[in-house]
Amino acid sequence: MLQISYIRENRNDVIKRLQVRNFGQLELVDEVILLDEDIRSTKIRSESIAAEGNAAAKQIGELMRQGKREEADAIKAKSGEYKEQLKVLNEQLGLLEEQFFQKIVQLPNLPYKDVAEGKTAEDNEIILEQGEKPVLPENALAHWELAAKYDIIDFELGVKVSGAGFPVYKGKGAKLQRALINFFLDQATENGYREVQVPILINGDSGFGTGQLPDKEGQMYYVTADDLYLIPTAEVPVTNMYRGEILKEEDFPIKNTAYTPCFRREAGSYGSHVRGLNRLHQFDKVELVQLVHPEKSYEVLEEMSSYVQSLLQKLQLPYRVLRLCGGDMGFASAMTYDMEVWSGAQQRWLEVSSVSNFETFQSNRLKARFKGQDGKMHLVHTLNGSALALPRIVACILEENQTDRGIKIPNILVPYTGFEWID
């Protein structure tokens, strides 16, 4: 959530930066400014009347001690008016604050200065491309065909048990999943991240804290009876560990990693581009979350991007890095890098990670703060990244490493799988 003090003091800059996002409700900026002015003026009037009421109460006490009952009774009558005025003002204030909240939460984060204008994914900037795209034989199979050939992933069985988008991993397919999870967690802990195991059900406050609510209700699975949501990513519970906390500046950077299953409804996703592992309702992912000093967050963003790239290099997968344009960024992000891996059999790039800096957008909702050297409270900057999401990584490993003998497991994973081939 944007800070009203910044909006009020930098109105023109806020509008300009929201235009980079192609945000279509720019009128909200002036609406929240006007509501904030009404709230502040109402509070001033309320405080003034409360002060008059307190002064009257003291005066009544003094008059009663002096035996001046009639004068005291006259002031008492006026005190009743103060109370009635305060009641009306407090009701007005409550309505104004609710209107203010409903409007300001509709404003997305402001894009960082390096974020380019653009409307769709077609306008994203390609920062770099790494690795040679393999030349596969003409009879190369897509991963869903390889999964059936070697009996390692059963999509139809998943439909029987749950529905489309819930595959069943079998045999070496299940072991490959577990190997990747352990590999990603081990790499993260070796790079200074603390492993945590977190709930996969969250309450509404947690969803609000990281910006999923009230923006993405339609993409989240909701457990009606318990008023809980299945997590779309471990970012949500991990970041919410620090909701309402006052952190120590000397503890930065705070680095956590977590493996969780993730759940996304992906409503309206149809077509060949979502076939197989390309898009699922349930999938496994290892997530990185950092809370850092505001002066360091963009340096940390670059470090996190480089780290995710190192994983792809170790898996020997060709990839590219995109900096998302304003129109393609997530609601809460100030800047995002996407990492995409080349799918040789499908002849297309598949996103496998997003690494984002949210600046103070999440921490303002979370009230995650630290006491600076100036003695004042400041909001932390939060960042997160996938390191990595498994489905499309598995898809590309299967496709890129297919041979006449079978599928060759990347060397870095063999100690984790316990086998070199899927055959």
Side-chain angles (χ1 to χ4, degrees):
M1 188 165 64
L2 299 179
Q3 298 178 69
I4 184 57
S5 58
Y6 186 89
I7 297 173
R8 191 169 57 234
E9 295 164 13
N10 302 274
R11 174 193 175 275
N12 293 339
D13 179 63
V14 169
I15 290 174
K16 182 179 178 181
R17 292 167 71 185
L18 287 175
Q19 287 173 329
V20 172
R21 273 188 170 272
N22 291 287
F23 183 64
Q25 295 175 276
L26 295 175
E27 69 278 1
L28 284 172
V29 175
D30 286 331
E31 289 175 9
V32 297
I33 290 173
L34 289 172
L35 282 166
D36 177 60
E37 290 175 356
D38 288 344
I39 288 169
R40 287 188 294 149
S41 64
T42 302
K43 283 181 177 178
I44 290 170
R45 287 166 56 202
S46 179
E47 290 167 1
S48 175
I49 291 171
E52 290 181 31
N54 290 334
K58 290 180 181 178
Q59 191 176 4
I60 290 167
E62 183 63 29
L63 290 170
M64 290 295 287
R65 281 191 293 273
Q66 295 174 10
K68 300 178 180 178
R69 180 175 292 276
E70 289 185 8
E71 292 180 42
D73 288 342
I75 296 174
K76 278 183 183 179
K78 196 168 185 180
S79 293
E81 294 177 14
Y82 291 142
K83 290 180 181 178
E84 188 60 32
Q85 290 175 26
L86 278 175
K87 180 182 176 183
V88 171
L89 285 171
N90 286 334
E91 289 175 354
Q92 290 176 356
L93 184 60
L95 289 172
L96 287 169
E97 288 177 336
E98 178 61 22
Q99 291 173 28
F100 173 82
F101 174 79
Q102 293 299 332
K103 289 185 182 294
I104 197 169
V105 296
Q106 296 179 55
L107 293 173
N109 203 356
L110 303 179
Y112 186 58
K113 62 179 179 64
D114 291 347
V115 174
E117 291 187 45
K119 295 182 179 180
T120 68
E122 300 299 319
D123 300 315
N124 292 335
E125 299 175 272
I126 300 173
I127 302 301
L128 66 86
E129 191 171 317
Q130 178 79 29
E132 294 292 328
K133 295 178 183 177
V135 179
L136 300 180
E138 289 185 7
N139 62 347
L141 301 177
H143 68 269
W144 53 85
E145 297 172 304
L146 293 166
K149 179 179 179 179
Y150 296 106
D151 194 27
I152 54 175
I153 307 172
D154 196 323
F155 296 100
E156 293 304 315
L157 186 55
V159 172
K160 174 183 176 181
V161 173
S162 301
F166 296 89
V168 174
Y169 299 87
K170 299 156 61 176
K172 288 185 175 181
K175 289 182 178 180
L176 177 58
Q177 288 280 113
R178 180 155 49 92
L180 282 164
I181 292 165
N182 288 335
F183 170 63
F184 293 149
L185 286 173
D186 285 351
Q187 291 291 301
T189 54
E190 287 175 17
N191 280 270
Y193 289 87
R194 178 184 65 167
E195 182 178 349
V196 293
Q197 190 176 68
V198 291
I200 60 172
L201 286 163
I202 57 159
N203 56 34
D205 288 343
S206 293
F208 175 77
T210 43
Q212 278 69 32
L213 300 175
D215 179 51
K216 296 184 176 66
E217 295 97 329
Q219 294 297 317
M220 297 171 71
Y221 285 97
Y222 180 54
V223 184
T224 310
D226 301 292
D227 195 24
L228 297 172
Y229 297 85
L230 286 167
I231 62 169
T233 165
E235 165 205 345
V236 183
V238 175
T239 311
N240 270 278
M241 287 163 43
Y242 301 94
R243 176 155 43 94
E245 298 293 320
I246 297 176
L247 307 170
K248 295 180 180 178
E249 188 172 5
E250 59 266 27
D251 290 339
F252 292 142
I254 296 172
K255 304 168 68 174
N256 288 299
T257 185
Y259 153 70
T260 64
C262 303
F263 304 87
R264 298 181 187 178
R265 295 186 63 241
E266 299 287 5
S269 297
Y270 306 101
S272 60
H273 67 289
V274 300
R275 191 172 179 184
L277 297 173
N278 288 350
R279 187 164 297 171
L280 301 175
H281 294 310
Q282 177 182 331
F283 60 95
D284 293 318
K285 180 156 67 80
V286 172
E287 190 77 0
L288 308 176
V289 173
Q290 289 206 41
L291 280 71
V292 305
H293 193 285
E295 294 177 359
K296 298 286 186 179
S297 66
Y298 280 95
E299 177 184 327
V300 170
L301 179 66
E302 297 300 324
E303 291 172 359
M304 292 177 71
S305 172
S306 296
Y307 169 73
V308 173
Q309 292 176 55
S310 75
L311 298 178
L312 298 173
Q313 292 164 14
K314 289 175 181 177
L315 292 171
Q316 298 177 299
L317 293 171
Y319 69 90
R320 68 180 185 179
V321 181
L322 307 178
R323 181 162 53 214
L324 300 194
C325 68
D328 198 36
M329 286 200 309
F331 181 81
S333 175
M335 191 164 93
T336 296
Y337 288 118
D338 271 6
M339 285 68 176
E340 297 181 336
V341 172
W342 177 251
S343 167
Q346 299 180 73
Q347 290 291 294
R348 56 193 293 258
W349 292 99
L350 300 176
E351 179 199 330
V352 294
S353 175
S354 285
V355 181
S356 300
N357 186 353
F358 303 101
E359 296 185 359
T360 61
F361 193 84
Q362 290 182 333
S363 59
N364 189 31
R365 290 171 170 234
L366 296 161
K367 302 306 176 209
R369 300 163 292 167
F370 71 98
K371 190 173 184 178
Q373 294 181 357
D374 57 5
K376 298 179 181 179
M377 287 296 179
H378 301 274
L379 293 169
V380 304
H381 277 199
T382 62
L383 303 94
N384 79 269
S386 311
L388 287 158
L390 269 67
R392 294 171 184 173
I393 290 291
V394 170
C396 291
I397 286 175
L398 298 180
E399 292 179 1
E400 306 299 284
N401 294 284
Q402 59 183 300
T403 70
D404 291 338
R405 173 181 169 178
I407 299 164
K408 178 72 172 68
I409 299 297
N411 293 335
I412 195 76
L413 290 181
V414 172
Y416 290 90
T417 59
F419 54 84
E420 296 183 30
W421 292 90
I422 295 175
D423 52 16

